Amino acid sequence: MRILCPHCADRTITRTSKRPSPVLYEVYAQCINPECGWGGKFYVECAISLSPSLRPAPGVRIPLDPGSRKAMLEQLVMGH
C-alpha cells in the first residue's frame, strides 16, 4: 500500500505501526521528501467486506458491501 504525503504528495515510509484491534491499524509515516519532512499517523481500517471469510474470527464484525450482499442473496435464491 502506497501512502502519499498530504502536503507534497511524495511517497512516505512507514516508521512503525500498531494494531489496536483486528480491523484497525495505526501507521506512523514519514515523508521521504527532505524539503517537506512531514511525519504523521494514518488510520487504516477494514470498513467493508466484499466477500465473507470462510474462517470468520469470533467477535470480528465487518459489514458486507450492499452490492455483494444482494448478489449472494440472489445466488442463494437461484440455487434452490
Side-chain angles (χ1 to χ4, degrees):
M1 176 177 171
R2 181 172 290 185
I3 297 175
L4 301 179
C5 175
H7 296 284
C8 72
D10 214 332
R11 288 186 312 110
T12 64
I13 56 171
T14 300
R15 291 290 184 199
T16 188
S17 65
K18 295 179 184 177
R19 190 175 181 190
S21 78
V23 297
L24 180 67
Y25 285 89
E26 293 178 354
V27 179
Y28 294 83
Q30 181 74 46
C31 180
I32 65 164
N33 182 345
E35 295 178 6
C36 177
W38 178 85
K41 179 167 59 172
F42 290 88
Y43 291 102
V44 181
E45 178 184 18
C46 298
I48 298 287
S49 293
L50 299 178
S51 62
S53 173
L54 297 176
R55 298 179 56 199
V60 175
R61 302 286 182 256
I62 305 170
L64 188 60
D65 174 68
S68 298
R69 180 179 169 84
K70 182 180 176 188
M72 287 174 40
L73 289 172
E74 288 173 357
Q75 287 178 4
L76 286 171
V77 170
M78 305 259 310
H80 283 79

